[in-house]
Structure formats: structure tokens, C-alpha cells
Amino acid sequence: MSGSAHPGRRRYDVIVVGAGMAGSLVAKRLGDQGWRVLVLEAGTGTLDTWPGHLDALDTFASAVAKVPNSPYRPNAVAPSPDVLDVGGLPGGGYRAHGYLVQRGALPYNSDYLRASGGTGLHWLGLTPRMHPDDFTVRSRYGYGRDWPIGYDDLEAHYRAAERELGVAGDAAEQADAIGLPFPEDYVYPMREIPRSYLDDVLAARLDGHAVQEKPGSAHTTLRVVTTPHARNSTPHEDYDGGRGYRPVGAAGLPNYGERCVGNASCTPICPAQAKYTPLKTQAAWSRDVTLVTRAVVSRVLTTSGGRARGVEYQEYDDPAAPASVTRTAEADVVVLAAHAIENAKLLLVSQLATRSDQVGRNLMDHPVLLTWGLMNHPVGPFRGPGSTSGLEGFRTGAGRRTRAPFRIVIANWGWSWPAGSPGADVARLLGMGDDSAAPRGRGLFGAALREELGRGISRQFALQFEMEQEAEGRNRVTIDPLHRDLLGNPRPVVTYDLSDRVKRGMAAAKAVSDQIFGLLDAEDHTAYGPGPFAPGHFRFEGRDFVYQGAGHGAGTHVMGASRETSVVDQWQRCWDHPGLYAVGCGSMPSVGTANPSLTMAALALRSSERIHRELSELRRPLTVRTAHAPEVRP
């Protein structure tokens, strides 16, 4: 069942809050095992049809700013934070409006999407695994938090997630270049996405060369490595012991979506539907899964003993009007899978899981430092996925003791992120921008414009340094009764900053970038300073920097080994409330440098196993005893 129809008073085995990646995977696993699952989604569900997909493409094409949420129509009742909600001030600092209330020294400059499919609709689709070192940063490197589980505990679930998402990659290359452990002879479900021409150019000039973060530090050897993707390529014939890989959708039909054909809009939307989205998992849900959209969960309900028993939610018809009906739904298990920020907000509103004082704390992202320049010949930007390869040598190692590690993403989309290309280039050459190369209204036109655009844009390239951010209690989500949405629910209040460890990582990243640009003989156009498009500007040790948000929110209901210091246990069960799970990136005690979606998916599948066992135990027949007979178990 899908849509906004009231599901009736039927009691469910499981209620899942949120129809994004984690929620969709949990619902599928439990539905496949025969459990009755109700999925409540705050946003709309129009994108799971072909007309809905075409409408999103048209909305994206007409949007002036091609930001992650631009294809998806605004929803005033269940609003989503947008990167356009935050702007910089001329002399430094930032101003914020929109859904998130910002109170930090620096802005939380990331977004997410409240709709069926969630942020998994607009993600880039990169699926690297975390490094084994990332699970033990406190004991190994002296900062942040350790996980209560390790890479080995998650490895089988990584493989399960790679199957569910249809990951394309080269496992042998990942093992050799990064040191990721895989089972012998393991291959990804699909063969790797081919490297871009830019990747090949950088590999030819960089592979085997060594760079230093600063004079006297250890050398790091550069190597361009392809990145795993959750997008369709060629199914690998050796997958699953030679049985191969065949994506399966509803009723055993081949999953929708063509193979990747190189459209340059993976973030925010793939026209060919080659990229995995949670809608593909939803298409394979069993009949035991019921989806209700336009249902904003406002409170988790518990028994007098603290066990989760259901939720209260507000059902609305019109995304532009606040009229709604409040309903309740009951189940033996409640799974919060809304988003790291939304899960924390819901726990805070419900006044649950408060023992450790960690709900909402430890908010993390991957702050991104961008560098950009011009190669000395055309490198073909704006072709293919946003990134097909990266430089992985800075993800771990002794440097982590003093500065944040980072992944270097090779960006195939020119200066689109740092400078708004190609639209900004057209405006500048037409004489329409403040930094125009010609007097206003007296720019280039016709053949001269095309020639100049071709000469500049074709040589553009950029690097994205994605920094690990450690868990800090001061970075947090809270609620304030003075700030509410149209339905009267508290909006998230975010307090955010960057530690000196992260800032030192950015300084090291810029030093590495300078050396890379030198090896490439590239013109460096990187420039940092305050301004309207630089809300993430700061000064550190006398130098200017600007960071961007990666949209990788994590840590707000952190997992741990003790109920006194964490919100959930290793299965993402709330310590304080039997039957209540908070799944997703919010459970992660550290984020390492890998895009977190694959790890989130693996954790969701692992938790699904524990939920299945819990429900099975609840349904187990009672032991029968008589006064004169031994114990009998049916």
C-alpha cells in the first residue's frame, strides 16, 4: 500500500519512521520475513512513478541554482533544509534562514530531503567502505569515539549492502590501494564505472609521485583509485561464486534503470535512473509492507515501563497547508530511520533516551575543502558521474594523531561547486556578473562567446578534500519551543563548529593540493575569503579557508558499549527503551573519510537481523508446566 490513506487500526509488528535508504532496507528485510511493517514518511511519494520522475527532471531543468534539492518540489508542511538557506556576510560570518535554526560559531551547511526515498534520491551514489582504522580512533589515535563493533563485525553486512544497492567497483583494487579486507576472490556485483578522461590524465602525471603535508613530514605516494558506485554498470559474471548479478525489482522483474550513460547530474537526479535510490528497494517490498506518505511522526509512544508501543503522527493532504489529522499507530517494535537530525529531534520531543545526555550531541559531517584550477589542455569536464576516482593515501596513518584525515575526490564537474560553472562563466563573459571580464552589457556573444567558453571550461578541474570530523558533544541538535513548523512541531536547532583538528587537516590538504597542482602544471585558481557564497569562511593560523557541507550528517544518537555514555547499543537499540531502534548515520561514533551511505545500509541490514530475532522471541509459544509432569516445550 502506498499513499496518504489511513492504514486503519490494525496493529503492526514494526513501525518504521522514514522511507529513506535505511528505512526502506529495514522494511524490505522484515517484510520478506513475513512481519507486518508500517512505514510512515513525512514527505510526499510522487517520485515513484514515471510522470513523477519526469516532473522532477523538469523542475531541475528550470531551477536557477542546481543544488541537491532543486528537482524536488518544496513541501511547506514537511520542509527540508537546503544549502541555499545559508549565506555568507561581506565581512565574514553567516546568516541562516529556512528549516534549521542555526546557532553555531560556523554553519552546518548541509541539507537532506524529506520525501519518500529521502536523501537517497539526491545523493551522488559513491559507496566506499570505511577503513578498519576508522572504528578505533580513540584507542588507536587518541581522539573521538570508538565503535562497540569493528570492521570484521560489519564485513558480511557490507557485502549484503553491496548486493542490495548493486554496487559497481573493483574489490581487488580497493584491497591493494587502500588495505580494505575482503573475502578471497570477492568481486562487486557490477564491474567498476570506467575512469573519466580526467582520471587518466591525473593518473599519468601523479601515480608514483610522493608529496609531503609539510617539510620534514612523512611522504605519501599518490595513486588514482577508482571509487565504488551504487549505479548500474555491467553485471559481474564472477559475482556470487560465478552465478553473476541480476538486479531484481518487484515481482521478480528486472530492476528499473538503464546503465550509467554519463549524465552529469547524479547529484541531484539521474535521468536514466542508473543510480540506486531507495525507490528501487521499495519496488521490491512484499505485500506485508504498508507505506503511508504525508505522515509526520510527532511523538514516540511508550508503556509505563518504557517499552516502545507505537507513534503519534499527523496526516496531511496539502503540502502547502497546515491542516492535518492526528493519528496513532501501534507495534511491538518502532524503528526511527528519518535522518540523523530528524531522529534526534524526535527523541528529544518524546523525551526519550535521555539517561546518557547524548541525544542530539556529536553531530558530524564531512567538511569539504575545495581547490580548483585549469589544466594546460582540455580534460572534458561535465561528462560522466560527478566523481569516478580519488586519491586515497590520506585516509589513515600516523598523521591522524594531530590532524583530520581526508579523502581526495577527483571532481568531473569542473568548477560547478566552487564557482557555479558553467552558468557563472556564461554570465561573466556576457558582462552580467559582479566579477565580469567586460563592462556590464558589453560582453561576448555568438561565436566569440562559444570559443571563449570552450577554451576555459574544457580545462576546468577541481579536487574535493573530504575531512573526517570527530564526535564532539558541543556540536549538537536541540529543540526550542519558540521555533516550530507549520504543524506546530519543534524545528531542529543546530549548534556547529569545526575543531582545530579539522582545521589542521584542511591546512594539510591545501599543502597537498599545492604540490598536486605543481605536478600537473596546472593554473591554481583557488581563492578563499568572506562573501555571500562563502558562509563556511574562517581564518586559521593567519590564513583564510572556506569549507562546504557534504550532506553526511551523523552521530546524533551515537552507539556505544555502555548505556551511560551512548544512546544505542551495537544493534542500534535504544538502551533505555526496549523495542525502540534508532538506525542510520546518527548511530555512527565516527565517520572516517568514506561517504557514509554504504555503512548506514550495512548497519540497517545488521539491525534487521536483530529485530527479526526480537520479534521471533516475542512470538515464541509459552512454556507449559503441570503440577505432576516435567516441563514441556511445544
Side-chain angles (χ1 to χ4, degrees):
M1 174 181 172
S2 177
S4 59
H6 175 41
R9 297 188 178 277
R10 177 186 181 191
R11 181 181 176 86
Y12 290 84
D13 298 311
V14 184
I15 295 171
V16 177
V17 180
M21 186 181 295
S24 296
L25 289 170
V26 169
K28 180 179 185 300
R29 278 298 174 93
L30 296 176
D32 287 348
Q33 291 165 318
W35 301 111
R36 297 164 300 172
V37 182
L38 172 65
V39 182
L40 297 173
E41 168 55 50
T44 59
T46 61
L47 297 165
D48 60 355
T49 65
W50 183 245
H53 177 66
L54 294 179
D55 178 71
L57 287 174
D58 289 343
T59 304
F60 172 62
S62 62
V64 175
K66 311 298 187 185
V67 296
N69 281 347
S70 59
Y72 311 107
R73 294 187 180 276
N75 184 334
V77 176
S80 301
D82 194 282
V83 295
L84 299 178
D85 294 342
V86 183
L89 301 175
Y94 70 95
R95 65 165 58 94
H97 61 280
Y99 176 57
L100 296 182
V101 180
Q102 300 260 6
R103 291 181 177 169
L106 289 171
Y108 181 78
N109 198 18
S110 281
D111 58 14
Y112 53 90
L113 182 63
R114 298 172 77 192
S116 182
T119 309
L121 295 176
H122 79 215
W123 72 314
L124 178 55
L126 304 186
T127 52
R129 296 185 179 193
M130 288 179 67
H131 193 280
D133 287 0
D134 297 337
F135 295 84
T136 54
V137 294
R138 164 60 64 181
S139 55
R140 187 182 296 266
Y141 298 107
Y143 69 91
R145 285 172 169 257
D146 284 350
W147 290 57
I149 59 175
Y151 180 94
D152 290 343
D153 297 302
L154 205 55
E155 199 282 324
H157 301 94
Y158 269 138
R159 282 182 276 133
E162 285 157 358
R163 175 187 284 272
E164 291 284 351
L165 274 58
V167 172
D170 185 337
E173 183 184 31
Q174 292 285 298
D176 180 59
I178 305 172
L180 298 180
F182 292 89
E184 187 176 357
D185 298 327
Y186 178 71
V187 298
Y188 284 108
M190 297 198 189
R191 292 193 174 275
E192 69 273 19
I193 300 294
R195 298 203 303 194
S196 67
Y197 177 61
L198 175 62
D199 294 338
D200 288 336
V201 169
L202 266 60
R205 299 188 185 184
L206 299 179
D207 281 3
H209 288 275
V211 296
Q212 292 177 286
E213 298 176 19
K214 57 184 178 181
S217 66
H219 287 78
T220 299
T221 301
L222 301 176
R223 175 179 174 182
V224 173
V225 182
T226 58
T227 306
H229 287 239
R231 72 184 79 249
N232 296 335
S233 67
T234 303
H236 203 304
E237 65 278 5
D238 293 334
Y239 181 71
D240 195 17
R243 285 180 283 271
Y245 177 76
R246 181 174 180 267
V248 175
L253 299 175
N255 209 348
Y256 57 78
E258 302 173 11
R259 295 183 185 182
C260 177
V261 292
N263 289 297
S265 62
C266 314
T267 300
I269 189 168
C270 174
Q273 298 184 316
K275 180 183 67 176
Y276 169 85
T277 76
L279 300 181
K280 296 189 177 186
T281 293
Q282 293 179 21
W285 278 348
S286 77
R287 293 179 179 271
D288 290 310
V289 180
T290 300
L291 171 65
V292 178
T293 58
R294 307 187 189 200
V296 179
V297 174
S298 54
R299 190 160 60 99
V300 178
L301 306 175
T302 59
T303 66
S304 58
R307 181 178 181 87
R309 65 177 180 87
V311 299
E312 179 182 273
Y313 66 97
Q314 297 156 293
E315 193 172 35
Y316 63 94
D317 290 323
D318 186 351
S324 66
V325 177
T326 299
R327 305 187 188 280
T328 61
E330 294 190 348
D332 294 312
V333 172
V334 175
V335 180
L336 306 185
H339 180 272
I341 290 177
E342 293 296 318
N343 278 357
K345 184 191 81 171
L346 191 51
L347 288 171
L348 291 168
V349 170
S350 305
Q351 298 182 354
L352 299 177
T354 58
R355 178 199 297 259
S356 66
D357 189 34
Q358 294 302 304
V359 173
R361 294 188 184 274
N362 308 300
L363 176 63
M364 294 175 279
D365 193 11
H366 282 132
V368 180
L369 184 77
L370 301 172
T371 63
W372 59 101
L374 294 176
M375 297 290 284
N376 54 17
H377 66 88
V379 289
F382 299 98
R383 297 188 299 182
S387 175
T388 39
S389 299
L391 297 158
E392 307 283 359
F394 301 91
R395 289 182 58 177
T396 193
R400 294 181 86 158
R401 298 188 183 279
T402 57
R403 53 89 179 143
F406 47 87
R407 280 190 72 235
I408 306 177
V409 175
I410 300 171
N412 290 328
W413 293 344
W415 295 1
S416 60
W417 198 357
S421 295
D425 302 292
V426 175
R428 174 175 53 82
L429 293 174
L430 287 174
M432 298 171 61
D434 293 337
D435 60 345
S436 172
R440 188 170 181 83
R442 295 177 57 186
L444 300 177
F445 297 91
L449 174 63
R450 290 192 296 272
E451 181 179 348
E452 186 61 27
L453 286 172
R455 182 162 45 246
I457 294 175
S458 67
R459 297 186 292 131
Q460 290 181 359
F461 81 103
L463 300 176
Q464 300 169 197
F465 294 81
E466 299 189 354
M467 320 299 300
E468 178 189 46
Q469 183 171 30
E470 74 271 32
E472 292 187 280
R474 62 176 180 146
N475 288 336
R476 63 186 303 191
V477 178
T478 57
I479 54 174
D480 184 334
L482 296 178
H483 297 280
R484 295 181 180 270
D485 62 20
L486 285 181
L487 293 179
N489 298 311
R491 291 158 51 200
V493 178
V494 176
T495 303
Y496 187 76
D497 201 356
L498 301 182
S499 67
D500 283 354
R501 168 179 292 276
V502 173
K503 294 175 180 178
R504 284 194 296 269
M506 290 188 178
K510 183 58 171 68
V512 168
S513 177
D514 292 344
Q515 294 168 75
I516 289 175
F517 277 56
L519 291 169
L520 295 174
D521 192 24
E523 295 178 26
D524 193 347
H525 286 249
T526 306
Y528 305 128
F533 302 109
H537 169 265
F538 64 91
R539 289 186 63 81
F540 181 67
E541 296 182 344
R543 299 172 62 192
D544 288 296
F545 294 90
V546 173
Y547 73 93
Q548 311 289 336
H552 297 169
T556 55
H557 43 84
V558 68
M559 73 163 60
S562 165
R563 68 176 65 244
E564 306 300 327
T565 59
S566 59
V567 179
V568 300
D569 66 9
Q570 62 168 306
W571 303 104
Q572 302 185 93
R573 295 180 299 188
C574 286
W575 288 107
D576 300 343
H577 304 285
L580 179 60
Y581 290 72
V583 307
C585 294
S587 297
M588 296 171 65
S590 68
V591 292
T593 56
N595 306 56
S597 294
L598 181 74
T599 299
M600 176 180 68
L603 289 170
L605 296 174
R606 186 174 187 269
S607 293
S608 298
E609 296 176 357
R610 187 63 190 83
I611 296 169
H612 172 64
R613 291 199 298 272
E614 180 174 336
L615 290 169
S616 298
E617 291 166 2
L618 288 171
R619 299 294 187 272
R620 182 179 297 169
L622 296 175
T623 299
V624 177
R625 294 178 181 270
T626 65
H628 305 290
E631 179 180 307
V632 177
R633 289 187 179 273

